Protein backbone atom coordinates (compact mmCIF):
# COMPACT_ATOMS: atom_id res chain seq x y z
CA UNK A 1 0.00 0.00 0.00
CA UNK A 2 1.41 3.35 -0.99
CA UNK A 3 1.12 6.43 1.21
CA UNK A 4 1.30 8.79 -1.77
CA UNK A 5 -1.92 10.73 -2.17
CA UNK A 6 -1.59 11.07 -5.94
CA UNK A 7 0.94 8.96 -7.80
CA UNK A 8 2.59 10.29 -10.95
CA UNK A 9 1.12 8.99 -14.19
CA UNK A 10 4.19 6.87 -14.99
CA UNK A 11 3.84 5.14 -11.60
CA UNK A 12 0.07 4.82 -11.51
CA UNK A 13 -0.10 3.34 -15.00
CA UNK A 14 3.28 1.58 -15.04
CA UNK A 15 1.69 -1.75 -15.92
CA UNK A 16 -0.10 -0.35 -18.97
CA UNK A 17 3.05 1.42 -20.15
CA UNK A 18 5.00 -1.84 -19.78
CA UNK A 19 2.41 -3.74 -21.84
CA UNK A 20 2.58 -1.15 -24.62
CA UNK A 21 6.39 -1.08 -24.59
CA UNK A 22 6.56 -4.88 -24.83
CA UNK A 23 4.21 -5.07 -27.81
CA UNK A 24 5.34 -1.87 -29.54
CA UNK A 25 7.21 -2.79 -32.73
CA UNK A 26 6.73 0.54 -34.51
CA UNK A 27 9.35 3.20 -35.12
CA UNK A 28 10.16 5.29 -32.05
CA UNK A 29 11.53 8.82 -32.39
CA UNK A 30 14.96 9.29 -30.77
CA UNK A 31 14.69 9.39 -26.99
CA UNK A 32 11.07 8.16 -26.87
CA UNK A 33 9.99 5.25 -24.68
CA UNK A 34 7.09 4.41 -27.03
CA UNK A 35 6.20 4.98 -30.68
CA UNK A 36 3.71 7.76 -31.52
CA UNK A 37 1.09 5.08 -32.22
CA UNK A 38 1.61 3.49 -28.79
CA UNK A 39 1.53 6.89 -27.07
CA UNK A 40 -1.82 7.64 -28.71
CA UNK A 41 -3.13 4.21 -27.67
CA UNK A 42 -2.03 4.88 -24.09
CA UNK A 43 -3.89 8.21 -24.06
CA UNK A 44 -7.10 7.02 -25.74
CA UNK A 45 -7.18 3.37 -24.59
CA UNK A 46 -7.64 0.20 -26.62
CA UNK A 47 -10.92 -1.07 -25.18
CA UNK A 48 -9.11 -3.92 -23.42
CA UNK A 49 -6.00 -3.62 -21.25
CA UNK A 50 -5.30 0.08 -21.79
CA UNK A 51 -7.75 2.44 -20.10
CA UNK A 52 -8.55 5.80 -21.73
CA UNK A 53 -6.89 8.78 -20.05
CA UNK A 54 -8.47 11.42 -22.28
CA UNK A 55 -11.90 11.32 -23.88
CA UNK A 56 -12.12 13.50 -26.94
CA UNK A 57 -11.43 13.61 -30.68
CA UNK A 58 -8.71 11.17 -31.68
CA UNK A 59 -7.32 13.62 -34.23
CA UNK A 60 -6.49 16.14 -31.51
CA UNK A 61 -4.33 13.61 -29.68
CA UNK A 62 -2.68 12.49 -32.92
CA UNK A 63 -1.78 16.09 -33.81
CA UNK A 64 -0.37 16.68 -30.31
CA UNK A 65 1.76 13.52 -30.44
CA UNK A 66 2.95 14.23 -33.99
CA UNK A 67 3.98 17.74 -32.94
CA UNK A 68 6.16 16.38 -30.14
CA UNK A 69 7.84 14.03 -32.62
CA UNK A 70 9.14 17.12 -34.47
CA UNK A 71 11.24 20.04 -33.19
CA UNK A 72 8.10 22.11 -32.51
CA UNK A 73 6.91 22.64 -28.95
CA UNK A 74 3.27 21.94 -28.07
CA UNK A 75 0.83 24.44 -26.56
CA UNK A 76 -2.39 22.95 -25.19
CA UNK A 77 -4.92 25.77 -25.17
CA UNK A 78 -8.45 25.67 -23.79
CA UNK A 79 -10.86 26.99 -21.22
CA UNK A 80 -10.38 25.82 -17.61
CA UNK A 81 -11.37 22.22 -17.01
CA UNK A 82 -10.64 20.82 -20.49
CA UNK A 83 -7.96 18.40 -19.17
CA UNK A 84 -4.92 20.35 -20.41
CA UNK A 85 -2.78 19.48 -17.38
CA UNK A 86 -4.06 15.91 -17.31
CA UNK A 87 -3.20 15.38 -20.97
CA UNK A 88 0.23 17.01 -20.71
CA UNK A 89 1.14 14.79 -17.75
CA UNK A 90 0.18 11.60 -19.56
CA UNK A 91 1.94 12.65 -22.78
CA UNK A 92 5.16 13.26 -20.82
CA UNK A 93 4.78 9.96 -18.95
CA UNK A 94 4.30 7.95 -22.14
CA UNK A 95 7.03 9.68 -24.16
CA UNK A 96 9.75 10.21 -21.52
CA UNK A 97 8.69 7.93 -18.69
CA UNK A 98 8.89 11.02 -16.46
CA UNK A 99 6.18 13.65 -15.96
CA UNK A 100 7.88 15.43 -13.05
CA UNK A 101 9.97 17.99 -14.95
CA UNK A 102 7.40 20.68 -14.29
CA UNK A 103 7.40 24.49 -14.14
CA UNK A 104 4.25 25.88 -12.55
CA UNK A 105 3.42 29.28 -13.97
CA UNK A 106 2.23 31.98 -11.57
CA UNK A 107 2.47 35.75 -11.38
CA UNK A 108 5.51 35.26 -9.15
CA UNK A 109 7.39 32.77 -11.35
CA UNK A 110 10.96 34.00 -11.86
CA UNK A 111 13.21 33.51 -14.88
CA UNK A 112 15.30 31.03 -12.86
CA UNK A 113 12.40 28.56 -13.09
CA UNK A 114 12.94 28.43 -16.86
CA UNK A 115 16.73 28.84 -17.05
CA UNK A 116 18.74 28.08 -13.88
CA UNK A 117 19.48 29.39 -10.42
CA UNK A 118 22.40 29.35 -8.04
CA UNK A 119 23.28 27.80 -4.72
CA UNK A 120 24.34 31.10 -3.21
CA UNK A 121 26.34 29.56 -0.36
CA UNK A 122 28.58 27.74 -2.86
CA UNK A 123 28.54 30.70 -5.24
CA UNK A 124 29.95 32.99 -2.53
CA UNK A 125 32.53 30.50 -1.32
CA UNK A 126 33.64 28.99 -4.65
CA UNK A 127 32.55 31.46 -7.29
CA UNK A 128 30.52 30.54 -10.42
CA UNK A 129 30.81 26.83 -11.19
CA UNK A 130 28.73 23.92 -12.39
CA UNK A 131 28.52 22.69 -8.80
CA UNK A 132 27.03 26.00 -7.67
CA UNK A 133 24.48 26.04 -10.48
CA UNK A 134 20.92 24.85 -9.77
CA UNK A 135 19.32 23.53 -12.99
CA UNK A 136 15.69 24.25 -13.76
CA UNK A 137 13.32 21.48 -14.88
CA UNK A 138 13.73 22.79 -18.44
CA UNK A 139 17.52 22.58 -18.24
CA UNK A 140 17.33 19.05 -16.85
CA UNK A 141 14.94 18.01 -19.62
CA UNK A 142 17.32 19.41 -22.23
CA UNK A 143 20.32 17.57 -20.77
CA UNK A 144 18.46 14.28 -20.34
CA UNK A 145 16.42 14.36 -23.56
CA UNK A 146 13.03 14.40 -21.85
CA UNK A 147 9.75 16.32 -21.98
CA UNK A 148 9.46 19.44 -19.82
CA UNK A 149 6.02 20.71 -18.83
CA UNK A 150 5.17 24.38 -18.36
CA UNK A 151 1.79 24.82 -16.70
CA UNK A 152 -0.27 28.01 -17.02
CA UNK A 153 2.23 29.69 -19.34
CA UNK A 154 0.12 32.84 -19.69
CA UNK A 155 0.13 33.45 -15.94
CA UNK A 156 3.88 34.07 -16.03
CA UNK A 157 5.18 37.61 -16.58
CA UNK A 158 5.95 38.28 -20.24
CA UNK A 159 9.71 38.64 -19.71
CA UNK A 160 9.79 35.21 -18.03
CA UNK A 161 7.81 33.66 -20.90
CA UNK A 162 10.33 35.01 -23.39
CA UNK A 163 13.13 33.12 -21.65
CA UNK A 164 11.80 30.14 -23.61
CA UNK A 165 12.46 31.70 -27.02
CA UNK A 166 16.15 30.72 -27.25
CA UNK A 167 15.40 27.28 -25.83
CA UNK A 168 12.71 26.63 -28.43
CA UNK A 169 14.42 28.17 -31.45
CA UNK A 170 18.09 27.28 -30.90
CA UNK A 171 17.57 24.22 -28.69
CA UNK A 172 20.29 25.56 -26.42
CA UNK A 173 20.44 27.31 -23.06
CA UNK A 174 23.39 29.70 -22.65
CA UNK A 175 25.15 30.00 -19.28
CA UNK A 176 27.08 33.25 -19.78
CA UNK A 177 28.48 33.23 -16.21
CA UNK A 178 30.43 30.06 -17.09
CA UNK A 179 30.89 30.80 -20.79
CA UNK A 180 29.08 27.52 -21.45
CA UNK A 181 25.77 26.28 -22.81
CA UNK A 182 23.49 23.30 -22.45
CA UNK A 183 22.41 21.79 -25.76
CA UNK A 184 19.21 19.80 -25.97
CA UNK A 185 19.57 16.03 -26.30
CA UNK A 186 17.35 14.07 -28.65
CA UNK A 187 13.94 13.49 -27.12
CA UNK A 188 13.72 16.95 -25.55
CA UNK A 189 10.61 19.03 -26.07
CA UNK A 190 8.21 21.24 -24.15
CA UNK A 191 4.49 20.91 -23.49
CA UNK A 192 2.90 24.14 -22.28
CA UNK A 193 -0.69 24.73 -21.18
CA UNK A 194 -2.61 27.99 -21.18
CA UNK A 195 -6.10 29.41 -21.12
CA UNK A 196 -7.31 32.88 -22.05
CA UNK A 197 -10.27 33.05 -19.69
CA UNK A 198 -8.41 33.15 -16.40
CA UNK A 199 -7.60 36.32 -14.51
CA UNK A 200 -4.02 37.53 -14.55
CA UNK A 201 -3.37 36.39 -18.10
CA UNK A 202 -0.28 37.73 -19.90
CA UNK A 203 -0.62 37.31 -23.65
CA UNK A 204 2.17 35.43 -25.41
CA UNK A 205 4.43 37.49 -27.61
CA UNK A 206 4.16 36.75 -31.31
CA UNK A 207 7.79 35.56 -31.29
CA UNK A 208 7.02 32.96 -28.62
CA UNK A 209 3.67 31.90 -30.04
CA UNK A 210 5.30 31.17 -33.42
CA UNK A 211 7.52 28.61 -31.74
CA UNK A 212 4.59 26.55 -30.51
CA UNK A 213 2.17 24.39 -32.40
CA UNK A 214 -1.16 25.18 -30.71
CA UNK A 215 -3.77 22.48 -30.12
CA UNK A 216 -7.10 23.71 -28.77
CA UNK A 217 -8.82 21.28 -26.40
CA UNK A 218 -12.61 21.58 -26.69
CA UNK A 219 -15.21 21.20 -23.99
CA UNK A 220 -17.06 17.86 -24.24
CA UNK A 221 -19.29 18.00 -27.30
CA UNK A 222 -22.28 16.17 -25.84
CA UNK A 223 -23.81 15.62 -22.43
CA UNK A 224 -23.23 11.87 -22.73
CA UNK A 225 -19.53 12.42 -23.39
CA UNK A 226 -19.23 14.71 -20.37
CA UNK A 227 -21.15 12.26 -18.16
CA UNK A 228 -18.72 9.54 -19.25
CA UNK A 229 -15.70 11.71 -18.41
CA UNK A 230 -17.10 12.73 -15.03
CA UNK A 231 -18.08 9.16 -14.13
CA UNK A 232 -14.61 7.80 -14.90
CA UNK A 233 -12.73 10.51 -13.01
CA UNK A 234 -15.03 10.38 -9.98
CA UNK A 235 -14.51 6.63 -9.79
CA UNK A 236 -10.71 7.02 -10.11
CA UNK A 237 -10.59 9.74 -7.47
CA UNK A 238 -12.78 7.75 -5.11
CA UNK A 239 -10.43 4.78 -5.33
CA UNK A 240 -7.24 6.83 -5.02
CA UNK A 241 -8.61 8.67 -1.96
CA UNK A 242 -9.88 5.36 -0.55
CA UNK A 243 -13.34 6.78 0.08
CA UNK A 244 -15.84 4.29 1.51
CA UNK A 245 -17.86 2.44 -1.11
CA UNK A 246 -20.81 4.55 -2.19
CA UNK A 247 -23.77 3.96 -4.47
CA UNK A 248 -22.95 6.57 -7.10
CA UNK A 249 -26.02 6.72 -9.30
CA UNK A 250 -25.71 7.96 -12.85
CA UNK A 251 -28.82 10.01 -12.20
CA UNK A 252 -27.03 12.45 -9.89
CA UNK A 253 -23.99 12.63 -12.16
CA UNK A 254 -26.21 13.37 -15.14
CA UNK A 255 -28.07 16.00 -13.15
CA UNK A 256 -24.90 17.86 -12.12
CA UNK A 257 -23.57 17.74 -15.69
CA UNK A 258 -26.91 19.01 -17.04
CA UNK A 259 -26.95 21.97 -14.63
CA UNK A 260 -23.38 22.91 -15.51
CA UNK A 261 -23.93 22.60 -19.27
CA UNK A 262 -27.15 24.62 -19.24
CA UNK A 263 -25.67 27.45 -17.18
CA UNK A 264 -22.48 27.35 -19.24
CA UNK A 265 -24.24 27.56 -22.61
CA UNK A 266 -27.10 29.84 -21.53
CA UNK A 267 -29.89 27.56 -22.75
CA UNK A 268 -31.70 24.51 -21.41
CA UNK A 269 -31.08 21.04 -22.75
CA UNK A 270 -34.23 21.04 -24.87
CA UNK A 271 -33.34 24.43 -26.35
CA UNK A 272 -36.63 26.02 -25.29
CA UNK A 273 -35.54 28.29 -22.44
CA UNK A 274 -32.69 30.76 -22.33
CA UNK A 275 -30.95 31.20 -18.98
CA UNK A 276 -28.34 33.61 -17.69
CA UNK A 277 -24.79 32.39 -17.25
CA UNK A 278 -22.85 33.00 -14.01
CA UNK A 279 -19.35 34.46 -13.86
CA UNK A 280 -17.63 31.11 -13.22
CA UNK A 281 -16.50 28.65 -15.89
CA UNK A 282 -18.49 25.64 -14.57
CA UNK A 283 -15.98 23.29 -16.13
CA UNK A 284 -15.97 19.52 -16.25
CA UNK A 285 -13.25 19.57 -13.59
CA UNK A 286 -15.57 21.49 -11.25
CA UNK A 287 -18.36 18.97 -11.84
CA UNK A 288 -15.93 16.19 -10.86
CA UNK A 289 -15.04 18.10 -7.70
CA UNK A 290 -18.70 18.62 -6.75
CA UNK A 291 -19.48 14.93 -7.15
CA UNK A 292 -16.35 13.75 -5.32
CA UNK A 293 -17.29 15.98 -2.37
CA UNK A 294 -20.84 14.63 -2.53
CA UNK A 295 -19.58 11.06 -2.38
CA UNK A 296 -17.52 11.90 0.71
CA UNK A 297 -20.62 13.39 2.36
CA UNK A 298 -22.75 10.38 1.46
CA UNK A 299 -20.11 7.93 2.69
CA UNK A 300 -19.24 9.60 5.99
CA UNK A 301 -22.44 11.38 6.97
CA UNK A 302 -25.20 9.67 5.00
CA UNK A 303 -26.40 6.18 4.21
CA UNK A 304 -23.82 5.48 1.52
CA UNK A 305 -26.12 6.48 -1.35
CA UNK A 306 -25.39 9.68 -3.28
CA UNK A 307 -28.46 11.90 -3.00
CA UNK A 308 -29.39 15.45 -4.15
CA UNK A 309 -28.64 16.84 -0.69
CA UNK A 310 -25.04 15.58 -0.98
CA UNK A 311 -24.30 17.53 -4.18
CA UNK A 312 -26.48 20.60 -3.62
CA UNK A 313 -24.01 22.58 -1.50
CA UNK A 314 -21.18 21.86 -3.92
CA UNK A 315 -23.22 23.04 -6.89
CA UNK A 316 -24.23 26.25 -5.15
CA UNK A 317 -20.60 26.90 -4.24
CA UNK A 318 -19.44 26.29 -7.82
CA UNK A 319 -22.13 28.49 -9.40
CA UNK A 320 -22.20 31.40 -6.93
CA UNK A 321 -18.69 32.83 -7.29
CA UNK A 322 -19.93 36.42 -7.12
CA UNK A 323 -22.24 36.66 -4.07
CA UNK A 324 -24.39 39.35 -5.70
CA UNK A 325 -24.78 38.77 -9.45
CA UNK A 326 -24.30 34.98 -9.45
CA UNK A 327 -26.82 34.49 -6.65
CA UNK A 328 -29.47 36.23 -8.77
CA UNK A 329 -28.59 34.01 -11.75
CA UNK A 330 -28.76 30.87 -9.62
CA UNK A 331 -32.11 31.73 -8.01
CA UNK A 332 -33.63 32.52 -11.39
CA UNK A 333 -32.40 29.22 -12.84
CA UNK A 334 -33.62 27.34 -9.79
CA UNK A 335 -37.13 28.80 -9.96
CA UNK A 336 -37.66 28.86 -13.73
CA UNK A 337 -35.94 25.63 -14.78
CA UNK A 338 -35.25 23.24 -11.91
CA UNK A 339 -38.57 23.77 -10.15
CA UNK A 340 -40.53 22.90 -13.31
CA UNK A 341 -38.96 19.47 -13.71
CA UNK A 342 -41.15 16.92 -11.98
CA UNK A 343 -38.40 14.37 -11.35
CA UNK A 344 -36.10 17.08 -9.94
CA UNK A 345 -38.25 18.03 -6.94
CA UNK A 346 -35.84 16.57 -4.35
CA UNK A 347 -32.95 18.28 -6.08
CA UNK A 348 -34.85 21.61 -6.13
CA UNK A 349 -35.55 21.45 -2.40
CA UNK A 350 -31.97 20.48 -1.58
CA UNK A 351 -30.53 23.36 -3.62
CA UNK A 352 -33.01 25.84 -2.18
CA UNK A 353 -32.08 24.79 1.35
CA UNK A 354 -28.34 24.87 0.55
CA UNK A 355 -28.65 28.35 -0.96
Amino acid sequence: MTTVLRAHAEDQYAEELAILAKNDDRVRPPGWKLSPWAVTTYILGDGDQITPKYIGPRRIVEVAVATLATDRALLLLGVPGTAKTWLSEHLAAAISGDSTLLVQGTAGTAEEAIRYGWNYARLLSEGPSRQALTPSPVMRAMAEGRIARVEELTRMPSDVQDALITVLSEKTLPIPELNEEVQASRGFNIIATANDRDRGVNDLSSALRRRFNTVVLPVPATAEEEVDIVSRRVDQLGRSLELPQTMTGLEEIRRVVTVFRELRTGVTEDGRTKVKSPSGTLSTAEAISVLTSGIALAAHFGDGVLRPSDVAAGIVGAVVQDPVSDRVVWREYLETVVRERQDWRDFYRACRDAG
Side-chain angles (χ1 to χ4, degrees):
M1 294 292 290
T2 178
T3 58
V4 175
L5 184 60
R6 182 186 181 278
H8 297 301
E10 59 271 21
D11 299 324
Q12 186 176 357
Y13 296 96
E15 188 176 339
E16 293 185 15
L17 290 168
I19 291 172
L20 285 167
K22 182 180 179 180
N23 300 320
D24 186 14
D25 57 358
R26 305 198 181 204
V27 176
R28 305 180 187 185
W32 284 39
K33 300 291 186 182
L34 299 172
S35 68
W37 176 86
V39 172
T40 303
T41 302
Y42 168 75
I43 298 294
L44 297 174
D46 65 354
D48 184 17
Q49 294 176 295
I50 311 301
T51 58
K53 318 301 180 300
Y54 174 77
I55 298 174
R58 181 180 183 86
R59 198 58 176 174
I60 284 179
V61 178
E62 290 176 343
V63 170
V65 173
T67 295
L68 294 170
T70 69
D71 63 348
R72 296 275 290 179
L74 174 65
L75 175 61
L76 298 176
L77 189 66
V79 299
T82 47
K84 300 183 295 296
T85 299
W86 182 251
L87 181 57
S88 74
E89 179 185 358
H90 283 286
L91 284 170
I95 292 170
S96 298
D98 184 359
S99 63
T100 64
L101 297 173
L102 171 68
V103 176
Q104 179 61 58
T106 68
T109 300
E111 192 173 328
E112 287 80 2
I114 300 293
R115 299 176 73 241
Y116 52 85
W118 295 97
N119 179 328
Y120 286 102
R122 299 195 69 164
L123 184 64
L124 290 172
S125 64
E126 304 172 7
S129 66
R130 274 287 186 150
Q131 290 70 35
L133 186 144
T134 305
S136 70
V138 174
M139 178 183 276
R140 287 180 53 205
M142 294 177 71
E144 298 169 13
R146 298 180 184 273
I147 299 290
R149 298 164 54 211
V150 181
E151 291 296 317
E152 303 290 354
L153 178 60
T154 51
R155 290 184 62 83
M156 293 181 184
S158 298
D159 57 330
V160 178
Q161 295 175 12
D162 287 345
L164 285 168
I165 290 178
T166 302
V167 171
L168 296 180
S169 58
E170 304 298 327
K171 299 298 185 289
T172 185
L173 182 57
I175 311 174
E177 296 90 341
L178 303 179
N179 196 27
E180 295 181 15
E181 65 179 11
V182 174
Q183 290 185 303
S185 299
R186 287 175 174 265
F188 165 73
N189 214 326
I190 287 179
I191 305 174
T193 67
N195 74 75
D196 52 8
R197 290 187 57 182
D198 200 3
R199 294 177 182 175
V201 167
N202 300 299
D203 291 335
L204 301 182
S205 65
S206 58
L208 182 56
R209 188 177 285 273
R210 285 197 305 271
R211 286 160 173 80
F212 281 102
N213 188 26
T214 302
V215 172
V216 179
L217 299 185
V219 296
T222 65
E224 289 303 320
E225 187 176 298
E226 191 161 2
V227 167
D228 187 22
I229 294 170
V230 172
S231 300
R232 289 175 186 271
R233 285 295 292 136
V234 166
D235 180 59
Q236 289 172 349
L237 284 171
R239 282 188 277 110
S240 67
L241 295 172
E242 296 186 15
L243 292 174
Q245 201 68 22
T246 305
M247 293 291 291
T248 311
L250 266 179
E251 182 182 358
E252 293 306 323
I253 294 176
R254 192 180 303 278
R255 191 143 39 198
V256 171
V257 168
T258 298
V259 170
F260 275 39
R261 289 182 70 87
E262 290 181 337
L263 288 171
R264 198 165 61 212
T265 59
V267 65
T268 54
E269 204 171 31
D270 57 13
R272 295 179 180 178
T273 307
K274 290 186 176 181
V275 298
K276 295 177 183 176
S277 295
S279 60
T281 56
L282 298 181
S283 64
T284 306
E286 289 173 284
I288 293 167
S289 177
V290 167
L291 285 157
T292 304
S293 298
I295 289 173
L297 282 171
H300 294 297
F301 303 104
D303 59 1
V305 178
L306 186 66
R307 302 187 186 280
S309 58
D310 299 316
V311 299
I315 287 183
V316 174
V319 174
V320 183
Q321 300 289 319
D322 185 307
V324 178
S325 61
D326 289 346
R327 192 170 296 280
V328 173
V329 171
W330 174 242
R331 285 177 178 171
E332 185 176 314
Y333 175 77
L334 206 58
E335 297 299 328
T336 60
V337 178
V338 176
R339 186 178 184 181
E340 300 303 315
R341 291 173 173 163
Q342 295 296 323
D343 54 343
W344 284 35
R345 289 295 175 86
D346 290 346
F347 181 74
Y348 168 74
R349 286 191 289 269
C351 289
R352 188 183 59 186
D353 293 344

